[in-house]
Amino acid sequence: MANKIREWIEDRTGLNKFLKVALDEPVHGGAKWSYVFGSALVFLFVLQAVTGIVMASFYSPSSTSAWGSVYYIQEKTSFGWFVRGLHHYGSSAMIIVAIVHMFQVFIFGAYKKPRELNWISGVILLLFLMGFGLTGYLLPWDQKGYWATQVATNIIGTIPVIGDYIKVLHQGGSDYGNFTLTRFYALHVFLLPISLLFFLGIHIALFRKHGVTPYWKMKEDVLKNRVDPFWPDQVFKDIVFAMGIYAVLAGWVFWSGGAELHAPADPASNFLARPEWYFLFLFQLLKYCQGNLLIVGTVIIPTLAIIFLFVLPFIDRNTSRYPSKRIPFFSAVFSGLAGIVVLTVISIVHDNHDIHILHQKEDSEHQSARAMKLAAKGVPPGGGNLIFLNDPIYLGEKIFKESCIGCHMVKGQGGDTAPDFTDFGSREWVVGLLKDPKGAKYFKESGTMPPVKLPDESIFDMTEFLLSQSGELLNKNIDSIERGKGLVLKGNCAICHPIGDKDAKRIAPNLTDYLSETWLKEFIKNPSDPKFYGTKNKMPGFDRLTDKEMEALIQYLFTLSKDRTLISRNETSSQPKKRTYIFGLSFPRTMIDFKHNS
């Protein structure tokens, strides 16, 4: 019965003949592990296609719904984070394997006659892979993708004569918007895959025509006498290597928790953009090519490098494949690789030591975490960015920038006539205040409080006690609080600062419930109150702020400290019990209730 079914299928499809043609390929010199990279790339492309199709069934390519749909994939669908993680890190894996494959081909001399066109089609495929990375980066419509892609399109815009036209064509206008997203989506999902399949077919057909390029030292008699079949000998090695890649990829996704999703794209923000790792070398190169030299970094050097790769088979005319006979070309190729590696490392090291970039990363992480928390309550139909409209911390930051930042600095930005609020209210901040109240970060020469002359352990105990009064201190140390309480109440602090009676007045601010929401609210409204600074006060009062604005400002101040709770009691109590979620503004809208996970 089974034979009859097989014969019936074969008679109508010719499947066995097709498989024989596809797999019956002699491998002269024997199957090798060095031949597995091309098949690994095909496997990764299939993996990208499958995960991409799964995500496309949930994704909505619109500037108002893209972020929300990616959030839905990431957080609300079963294993959505895993599928997205495979797709995200799979793109990097493709770049790595493609580069390794290209260098294996170069070292083996597989670009030489008669394989010139095979090499050229491979270079074209590498450029397509770069295109996939560039276009896919924007699709989540989050801060990182939005600003990083702008770096790339701005680079394109520097191309003489045609740069601006290409840039506008990709953007769909003079600036980023909905057309930018739909065009990148069309490129990523339709044009690039179709183009890649076309050139992949040519690449494989040329490979089948000319066969593998063996190790350059392999003798002719070995090539003739040892011939392994592609199936199963080489296919077995290809499958083992592909499964190894998948295992590493899946392990990485599980270890990292999947691809990150930043806060929704905000065109009004000043996000410090950084491209994906495989474009970092170009980004770093542009730092050395400013002004009139910019075109050198954006156009001349990359173009020369690509032209070199295309013409390599025609300028290296030596028939020998021995590396010792190709030293000039080895020098050129590996010098280029070394330059890319060095520029990439310099960029990473610089970013890891630049305090402004580190602060920006920290802010970005906080904002992303906040966005994910707010999105769990619902994504407005107007776009992911609107989730911040009713966010007290967003409002508080806005008030701070309007009313406070002229005197108080935060992470290097703002005035310096009042204490620096970087890490305001953290253990580190209070310890610094006690040790050096007249320091540049605090009251400077206008301060009247003397520094606390005690061992660091004692100052930390005092800090622990002072902050513990607010009730929002994280990871409290009870023993330290008790020791600190004794030091504060029985030491010199209590001579000037009242503690225990919130209405008591002395020559320095009352520290009862120090830095709690209530303390901050009363202080901000009237710092000239006798229980605070009285007639010595220099800070204006903000009693005109509404209760909502005051609570929002205090919530924002709390976020500046890593040692205190983020969410206020009021926000939790006012949280609605049920919400409806809407993706997209175009008809028909898709109503999605996150309460029911897929």
Side-chain angles (χ1 to χ4, degrees), residues 472-518:
E472 292 95 358
L473 183 64
L474 300 173
N475 303 318
K476 293 179 182 178
N477 185 325
I478 302 303
D479 294 336
S480 179
I481 290 173
E482 289 301 317
R483 291 193 299 269
K485 182 177 180 180
L487 290 168
V488 171
L489 298 182
K490 296 177 183 178
N492 294 332
C493 300
I495 296 174
C496 302
H497 297 277
I499 303 178
D501 180 359
K502 67 176 184 179
D503 296 321
K505 306 175 183 63
R506 290 181 189 165
I507 61 174
N510 191 318
L511 297 183
T512 306
D513 297 335
Y514 180 58
L515 294 186
S516 66
E517 290 189 38
T518 303

Coordinates of all heavy atoms in Angstrom, one line a residue, residues 472-518:
E472 N 9.6 54.4 52.5 CA 9.7 53.9 51.1 C 11.1 53.4 50.8 O 11.5 53.1 49.7 CB 9.4 55.0 50.1 CG 7.9 55.4 50.1 CD 7.7 56.6 50.9 OE1 8.7 57.1 51.6 OE2 6.6 57.1 51.0
L473 N 11.9 53.2 51.9 CA 13.3 52.8 51.7 C 13.4 51.3 51.3 O 12.7 50.5 52.0 CB 14.1 53.0 52.9 CG 15.6 52.7 52.8 CD1 16.3 53.6 51.8 CD2 16.3 52.9 54.2
L474 N 14.1 50.9 50.3 CA 14.2 49.6 49.9 C 15.4 48.9 50.6 O 16.4 49.5 51.0 CB 14.5 49.5 48.4 CG 13.4 50.1 47.5 CD1 13.9 50.1 46.0 CD2 12.1 49.3 47.6
N475 N 15.2 47.6 50.8 CA 16.3 46.8 51.5 C 16.8 47.4 52.8 O 18.0 47.6 52.9 CB 17.5 46.6 50.5 CG 17.0 46.0 49.2 OD1 16.2 45.0 49.1 ND2 17.5 46.5 48.1
K476 N 15.9 47.6 53.7 CA 16.3 48.2 54.9 C 17.2 47.3 55.8 O 17.0 46.0 55.8 CB 15.0 48.5 55.8 CG 14.1 49.6 55.2 CD 12.9 49.8 56.1 CE 12.0 50.8 55.5 NZ 10.8 51.0 56.3
N477 N 18.1 47.9 56.5 CA 18.9 47.1 57.4 C 18.5 47.5 58.8 O 18.9 48.6 59.3 CB 20.4 47.5 57.1 CG 21.4 46.6 58.0 OD1 21.1 46.3 59.1 ND2 22.5 46.3 57.4
I478 N 17.8 46.7 59.5 CA 17.2 47.0 60.8 C 18.3 47.3 61.8 O 18.2 48.3 62.6 CB 16.3 45.9 61.3 CG1 15.2 45.6 60.3 CG2 15.7 46.2 62.6 CD1 14.3 46.7 60.0
D479 N 19.4 46.5 61.9 CA 20.4 46.8 62.8 C 21.1 48.2 62.6 O 21.4 48.9 63.5 CB 21.5 45.7 62.8 CG 20.9 44.3 63.2 OD1 19.9 44.4 64.0 OD2 21.4 43.3 62.8
S480 N 21.3 48.4 61.3 CA 21.9 49.7 60.9 C 21.0 50.9 61.3 O 21.5 51.9 61.8 CB 22.2 49.7 59.4 OG 22.8 50.9 59.1
I481 N 19.7 50.7 61.1 CA 18.8 51.7 61.5 C 18.8 52.0 63.0 O 18.8 53.2 63.4 CB 17.3 51.3 61.0 CG1 17.2 51.3 59.5 CG2 16.3 52.3 61.6 CD1 15.9 50.8 59.0
E482 N 18.9 51.0 63.8 CA 18.9 51.2 65.2 C 20.2 51.9 65.6 O 20.2 52.8 66.5 CB 18.8 49.8 65.9 CG 17.4 49.2 65.8 CD 16.3 50.1 66.4 OE1 16.6 50.7 67.5 OE2 15.3 50.3 65.8
R483 N 21.3 51.5 65.0 CA 22.6 52.2 65.4 C 22.5 53.7 64.9 O 22.9 54.6 65.6 CB 23.7 51.5 64.7 CG 24.0 50.1 65.3 CD 25.4 49.6 64.8 NE 25.5 49.5 63.3 CZ 25.2 48.4 62.7 NH1 24.8 47.3 63.3 NH2 25.2 48.4 61.4
G484 N 22.0 53.9 63.7 CA 21.9 55.3 63.2 C 20.9 56.1 64.1 O 21.2 57.3 64.3
K485 N 19.9 55.5 64.5 CA 18.9 56.3 65.3 C 19.6 56.8 66.6 O 19.4 58.0 67.0 CB 17.8 55.3 65.7 CG 16.7 56.0 66.6 CD 15.5 55.0 66.8 CE 14.4 55.7 67.7 NZ 13.3 54.7 67.9
G486 N 20.4 55.9 67.2 CA 21.1 56.4 68.4 C 22.1 57.5 68.1 O 22.2 58.5 68.9
L487 N 22.8 57.4 67.0 CA 23.8 58.4 66.6 C 23.1 59.7 66.3 O 23.6 60.8 66.7 CB 24.6 57.9 65.4 CG 25.6 56.8 65.6 CD1 26.1 56.2 64.3 CD2 26.7 57.3 66.4
V488 N 22.0 59.7 65.7 CA 21.3 61.0 65.3 C 20.6 61.6 66.5 O 20.8 62.8 66.7 CB 20.2 60.7 64.2 CG1 19.4 61.9 64.0 CG2 20.9 60.3 62.9
L489 N 19.9 60.8 67.3 CA 19.2 61.4 68.4 C 20.0 61.8 69.6 O 19.7 62.8 70.3 CB 18.1 60.4 68.9 CG 17.0 60.0 67.8 CD1 16.0 59.1 68.4 CD2 16.3 61.3 67.3
K490 N 21.1 61.1 69.7 CA 22.0 61.4 70.9 C 23.2 62.2 70.5 O 24.0 62.6 71.3 CB 22.5 60.1 71.5 CG 21.3 59.3 72.1 CD 21.8 58.0 72.7 CE 20.6 57.1 73.2 NZ 21.1 55.8 73.7
G491 N 23.4 62.5 69.2 CA 24.5 63.2 68.8 C 24.2 64.7 68.5 O 23.2 65.2 69.0
N492 N 25.1 65.3 67.7 CA 24.9 66.8 67.5 C 23.8 67.1 66.6 O 23.3 68.3 66.5 CB 26.2 67.3 66.9 CG 27.4 67.2 67.9 OD1 27.1 67.3 69.1 ND2 28.6 67.1 67.4
C493 N 23.3 66.1 65.8 CA 22.3 66.4 64.8 C 21.0 67.0 65.5 O 20.4 68.0 65.0 CB 21.9 65.2 64.0 SG 23.2 64.5 63.1
A494 N 20.6 66.4 66.6 CA 19.4 66.8 67.3 C 19.5 68.1 67.9 O 18.4 68.7 68.3 CB 19.0 65.7 68.3
I495 N 20.7 68.7 68.0 CA 20.8 70.0 68.6 C 20.2 71.1 67.6 O 19.5 72.0 68.1 CB 22.3 70.4 68.8 CG1 22.9 69.4 69.9 CG2 22.5 71.8 69.3 CD1 24.4 69.6 70.1
C496 N 20.4 70.9 66.3 CA 19.9 71.8 65.4 C 18.6 71.3 64.7 O 17.7 72.1 64.3 CB 20.9 72.1 64.3 SG 22.5 72.7 64.9
H497 N 18.5 70.0 64.5 CA 17.3 69.5 63.7 C 16.3 68.8 64.6 O 16.7 67.8 65.3 CB 17.8 68.4 62.7 CG 18.7 68.9 61.7 ND1 18.3 69.5 60.5 CD2 20.1 68.9 61.6 CE1 19.3 69.9 59.8 NE2 20.4 69.5 60.4
P498 N 15.1 69.2 64.6 CA 14.1 68.5 65.4 C 13.8 67.2 64.7 O 13.7 67.1 63.5 CB 12.8 69.4 65.3 CG 13.3 70.7 64.8 CD 14.5 70.5 64.0
I499 N 13.6 66.1 65.5 CA 13.3 64.8 65.0 C 12.3 64.1 66.0 O 12.6 64.0 67.2 CB 14.5 63.9 64.8 CG1 15.6 64.5 64.0 CG2 14.2 62.5 64.3 CD1 16.9 63.8 63.8
G500 N 11.2 63.7 65.4 CA 10.2 63.0 66.3 C 8.9 63.8 66.4 O 7.8 63.3 66.5
D501 N 9.0 65.2 66.4 CA 7.8 66.0 66.4 C 7.8 66.8 65.1 O 8.7 67.7 64.9 CB 7.9 67.0 67.6 CG 6.7 67.9 67.7 OD1 5.8 67.9 66.8 OD2 6.7 68.7 68.6
K502 N 6.9 66.6 64.2 CA 6.9 67.2 62.9 C 6.7 68.7 62.9 O 6.9 69.3 61.9 CB 6.0 66.5 61.9 CG 4.5 66.7 62.3 CD 3.6 66.0 61.3 CE 2.1 66.3 61.6 NZ 1.2 65.7 60.6
D503 N 6.1 69.2 64.0 CA 5.9 70.6 64.0 C 6.9 71.4 64.8 O 6.8 72.6 64.9 CB 4.5 70.9 64.6 CG 3.4 70.3 63.8 OD1 3.4 70.4 62.6 OD2 2.4 69.7 64.4
A504 N 7.9 70.7 65.3 CA 8.9 71.4 66.1 C 9.8 72.3 65.3 O 10.0 72.0 64.1 CB 9.7 70.4 66.9
K505 N 10.3 73.3 65.8 CA 11.1 74.3 65.1 C 12.4 74.5 65.8 O 12.5 74.8 67.0 CB 10.4 75.6 64.9 CG 9.0 75.5 64.3 CD 8.3 76.8 64.2 CE 6.9 76.7 63.7 NZ 6.0 75.8 64.5
R506 N 13.5 74.5 65.0 CA 14.8 74.9 65.6 C 15.6 75.7 64.5 O 15.0 76.1 63.5 CB 15.6 73.7 66.1 CG 15.0 73.1 67.3 CD 15.8 71.9 67.8 NE 15.1 71.2 68.9 CZ 15.4 70.0 69.3 NH1 16.4 69.3 68.7 NH2 14.7 69.4 70.3
I507 N 16.9 75.7 64.5 CA 17.6 76.5 63.6 C 17.9 75.8 62.2 O 18.4 76.4 61.3 CB 19.0 77.0 64.2 CG1 19.8 75.7 64.5 CG2 18.8 77.8 65.4 CD1 21.2 76.1 65.0
A508 N 17.6 74.5 62.2 CA 17.8 73.8 60.9 C 16.5 73.0 60.6 O 15.6 72.8 61.5 CB 19.0 72.8 61.1
P509 N 16.3 72.5 59.4 CA 15.1 71.8 59.0 C 14.7 70.7 59.9 O 15.6 69.9 60.4 CB 15.4 71.4 57.6 CG 16.4 72.3 57.1 CD 17.2 72.7 58.3
N510 N 13.4 70.5 60.1 CA 12.9 69.4 60.9 C 13.1 68.1 60.1 O 12.7 68.1 58.9 CB 11.4 69.7 61.2 CG 10.8 68.7 62.1 OD1 11.1 67.5 62.1 ND2 10.0 69.2 63.1
L511 N 13.7 67.1 60.7 CA 14.0 65.9 59.9 C 13.0 64.8 60.2 O 13.3 63.6 59.9 CB 15.4 65.4 60.2 CG 16.5 66.4 59.8 CD1 17.9 65.8 60.1 CD2 16.4 66.7 58.3
T512 N 11.9 65.1 60.9 CA 10.9 64.0 61.1 C 10.3 63.6 59.8 O 9.8 64.5 59.0 CB 9.7 64.6 62.0 OG1 10.3 65.1 63.2 CG2 8.7 63.5 62.3
D513 N 10.2 62.3 59.5 CA 9.8 61.8 58.2 C 10.6 62.4 57.0 O 10.1 62.7 55.9 CB 8.3 62.1 58.0 CG 7.4 61.4 59.0 OD1 7.8 60.4 59.6 OD2 6.3 62.0 59.3
Y514 N 11.9 62.5 57.2 CA 12.8 63.1 56.3 C 12.6 62.5 54.9 O 12.7 61.3 54.7 CB 14.2 63.0 56.8 CG 15.3 63.6 55.9 CD1 15.2 64.9 55.5 CD2 16.3 62.8 55.4 CE1 16.2 65.5 54.7 CE2 17.3 63.4 54.6 CZ 17.2 64.7 54.2 OH 18.2 65.3 53.4
L515 N 12.4 63.3 53.9 CA 12.3 63.0 52.5 C 11.2 62.0 52.1 O 11.1 61.4 51.1 CB 13.6 62.3 52.0 CG 14.9 63.2 51.9 CD1 16.0 62.5 51.2 CD2 14.6 64.5 51.2
S516 N 10.2 61.9 53.1 CA 9.0 61.2 52.7 C 8.1 62.0 51.8 O 8.4 63.2 51.6 CB 8.2 60.9 54.0 OG 7.7 62.1 54.6
E517 N 7.1 61.4 51.3 CA 6.2 62.2 50.4 C 5.6 63.4 51.1 O 5.5 64.5 50.5 CB 5.1 61.3 49.9 CG 5.5 60.2 48.9 CD 4.4 59.5 48.2 OE1 3.4 60.1 47.9 OE2 4.5 58.3 48.0
T518 N 5.2 63.2 52.3 CA 4.6 64.3 53.1 C 5.6 65.4 53.4 O 5.3 66.6 53.2 CB 4.0 63.8 54.4 OG1 3.1 62.7 54.2 CG2 3.4 64.9 55.2

